[in-house]
Coordinates of all heavy atoms in Angstrom, one line a residue:
F1120 N -7.8 12.9 6.9 CA -7.4 11.5 6.9 C -8.6 10.6 6.8 O -8.4 9.6 6.1 CB -6.6 11.3 8.2 CG -6.2 9.8 8.3 CD1 -5.0 9.4 7.6 CD2 -6.8 8.9 9.2 CE1 -4.6 8.1 7.8 CE2 -6.3 7.7 9.4 CZ -5.2 7.2 8.6
S1121 N -9.7 10.8 7.5 CA -10.7 9.8 7.6 C -11.6 9.8 6.2 O -12.4 9.0 6.1 CB -11.6 10.2 8.8 OG -12.3 11.4 8.6
T1122 N -11.3 10.6 5.3 CA -12.0 10.7 4.1 C -11.7 9.6 3.1 O -12.5 9.2 2.3 CB -11.9 12.1 3.4 OG1 -12.2 13.1 4.4 CG2 -12.6 12.2 2.1
Y1123 N -10.4 9.1 3.2 CA -9.9 8.2 2.2 C -9.4 6.8 2.7 O -8.9 6.9 3.8 CB -8.8 8.9 1.3 CG -9.3 10.1 0.6 CD1 -9.0 11.4 1.2 CD2 -10.0 10.0 -0.5 CE1 -9.6 12.5 0.5 CE2 -10.5 11.1 -1.2 CZ -10.2 12.3 -0.7 OH -10.7 13.5 -1.3
P1124 N -9.6 5.9 1.9 CA -8.9 4.6 2.3 C -7.4 4.8 2.3 O -6.9 5.7 1.7 CB -9.3 3.6 1.2 CG -10.6 4.2 0.6 CD -10.4 5.7 0.8
M1125 N -6.7 3.9 2.9 CA -5.2 3.9 3.0 C -4.7 2.5 2.7 O -5.3 1.5 3.0 CB -4.7 4.3 4.4 CG -5.1 5.6 4.8 SD -4.3 6.9 3.9 CE -2.6 6.7 4.4
G1126 N -3.6 2.5 2.0 CA -3.0 1.2 1.6 C -1.5 1.1 2.1 O -0.9 2.1 2.3
W1127 N -1.1 -0.1 2.0 CA 0.3 -0.5 2.2 C 0.8 -1.2 1.0 O 0.1 -2.2 0.5 CB 0.5 -1.3 3.5 CG 0.4 -0.6 4.8 CD1 -0.7 -0.5 5.6 CD2 1.5 0.1 5.5 NE1 -0.4 0.2 6.7 CE2 0.9 0.6 6.7 CE3 2.8 0.4 5.2 CZ2 1.7 1.4 7.6 CZ3 3.5 1.1 6.1 CH2 2.9 1.6 7.2
F1128 N 2.0 -0.9 0.6 CA 2.7 -1.6 -0.5 C 4.1 -1.9 0.0 O 4.5 -1.4 1.1 CB 2.8 -0.6 -1.7 CG 1.6 -0.6 -2.5 CD1 0.5 0.1 -2.1 CD2 1.6 -1.1 -3.8 CE1 -0.7 0.2 -2.9 CE2 0.4 -1.1 -4.6 CZ -0.7 -0.4 -4.2
R1129 N 4.8 -2.7 -0.7 CA 6.2 -3.0 -0.4 C 7.0 -3.2 -1.6 O 6.5 -3.6 -2.7 CB 6.3 -4.3 0.5 CG 5.9 -5.6 -0.1 CD 5.9 -6.7 0.9 NE 5.5 -7.9 0.3 CZ 5.4 -9.1 1.0 NH1 5.5 -9.1 2.3 NH2 5.1 -10.2 0.4
Q1130 N 8.3 -2.9 -1.5 CA 9.2 -3.2 -2.6 C 10.5 -3.8 -2.1 O 11.2 -3.3 -1.3 CB 9.6 -1.9 -3.3 CG 10.4 -2.0 -4.6 CD 10.4 -0.7 -5.4 OE1 10.1 0.4 -4.9 NE2 10.7 -0.8 -6.6
A1131 N 10.7 -5.0 -2.6 CA 11.9 -5.8 -2.3 C 13.0 -5.4 -3.3 O 12.7 -4.9 -4.4 CB 11.6 -7.3 -2.3
P1132 N 14.3 -5.7 -3.0 CA 15.3 -5.4 -3.9 C 15.2 -6.0 -5.3 O 14.8 -7.2 -5.3 CB 16.6 -5.9 -3.2 CG 16.2 -5.9 -1.7 CD 14.8 -6.2 -1.7
R1133 N 15.3 -5.2 -6.3 CA 15.3 -5.8 -7.7 C 13.8 -6.2 -8.1 O 13.7 -7.0 -9.0 CB 16.3 -6.9 -7.9 CG 17.7 -6.3 -7.8 CD 18.7 -7.5 -7.8 NE 18.5 -8.5 -6.8 CZ 19.0 -8.3 -5.5 NH1 19.6 -7.3 -5.2 NH2 18.7 -9.4 -4.7
K1134 N 12.8 -5.9 -7.3 CA 11.5 -6.2 -7.6 C 10.6 -4.9 -7.8 O 10.9 -3.9 -7.2 CB 10.9 -7.2 -6.6 CG 11.6 -8.6 -6.5 CD 10.9 -9.5 -5.7 CE 11.5 -10.9 -5.7 NZ 10.8 -11.9 -4.8
E1135 N 9.4 -5.2 -8.4 CA 8.4 -4.1 -8.5 C 7.7 -3.9 -7.2 O 7.7 -4.8 -6.3 CB 7.4 -4.5 -9.5 CG 7.9 -4.7 -10.9 CD 8.3 -3.4 -11.6 OE1 7.6 -2.4 -11.4 OE2 9.4 -3.4 -12.2
R1136 N 7.3 -2.7 -6.9 CA 6.5 -2.4 -5.8 C 5.2 -3.2 -5.9 O 4.5 -3.1 -6.9 CB 6.2 -0.9 -5.6 CG 5.7 -0.5 -4.3 CD 5.7 1.0 -4.1 NE 7.0 1.6 -4.3 CZ 7.3 2.9 -4.0 NH1 6.3 3.7 -3.7 NH2 8.5 3.4 -4.1
E1137 N 4.8 -3.8 -4.8 CA 3.6 -4.6 -4.8 C 2.6 -4.3 -3.7 O 3.0 -3.8 -2.6 CB 4.0 -6.1 -4.8 CG 4.6 -6.5 -3.4 CD 4.9 -8.0 -3.4 OE1 4.6 -8.7 -4.3 OE2 5.3 -8.5 -2.2
F1138 N 1.3 -4.5 -3.9 CA 0.3 -4.3 -3.1 C 0.4 -5.2 -1.8 O 0.7 -6.4 -2.0 CB -1.0 -4.4 -3.7 CG -2.2 -4.5 -2.8 CD1 -2.8 -3.4 -2.3 CD2 -2.8 -5.8 -2.6 CE1 -3.8 -3.5 -1.5 CE2 -3.9 -5.9 -1.8 CZ -4.5 -4.7 -1.2
V1139 N 0.1 -4.7 -0.7 CA 0.1 -5.5 0.6 C -1.3 -5.6 1.2 O -1.8 -6.6 1.4 CB 1.1 -5.0 1.6 CG1 1.0 -5.8 2.9 CG2 2.5 -5.1 1.1
A1140 N -1.9 -4.4 1.4 CA -3.2 -4.3 2.1 C -3.8 -2.9 1.9 O -3.1 -2.0 1.6 CB -3.1 -4.7 3.6
V1141 N -5.1 -2.9 2.0 CA -5.8 -1.6 1.9 C -7.0 -1.7 3.0 O -7.5 -2.7 3.4 CB -6.4 -1.4 0.6 CG1 -7.5 -2.5 0.2 CG2 -7.0 0.0 0.4
I1142 N -7.3 -0.4 3.5 CA -8.4 -0.4 4.5 C -9.3 0.8 4.1 O -8.8 1.8 3.7 CB -7.8 -0.2 5.9 CG1 -8.9 -0.3 6.9 CG2 -7.0 1.1 6.0 CD1 -8.3 -0.4 8.4
S1143 N -10.6 0.6 4.3 CA -11.6 1.6 3.9 C -11.4 2.8 4.9 O -10.8 2.7 6.0 CB -13.0 1.0 4.0 OG -13.3 0.7 5.2
R1144 N -12.1 3.9 4.6 CA -12.0 5.0 5.4 C -12.4 4.9 6.9 O -12.0 5.4 7.8 CB -12.6 6.3 4.7 CG -14.0 6.1 4.4 CD -14.6 7.3 3.6 NE -15.9 7.0 3.1 CZ -16.7 8.0 2.7 NH1 -16.3 9.2 2.6 NH2 -17.9 7.8 2.2

């Protein structure tokens, strides 16, 4: 787990998935 950054995305109804946040390892 600690080797890679992790991100959060979100997808609202009828919309494309979009970036929310990312954090370094």
Side-chain angles (χ1 to χ4, degrees):
F1120 179 76
S1121 62
T1122 302
Y1123 297 100
M1125 296 291 294
W1127 284 96
F1128 281 70
R1129 67 185 182 185
Q1130 188 166 17
R1133 298 174 298 281
K1134 291 189 177 181
E1135 297 289 319
R1136 193 171 297 189
E1137 64 176 5
F1138 167 77
V1139 174
V1141 64
I1142 188 166
S1143 64
R1144 52 184 176 169

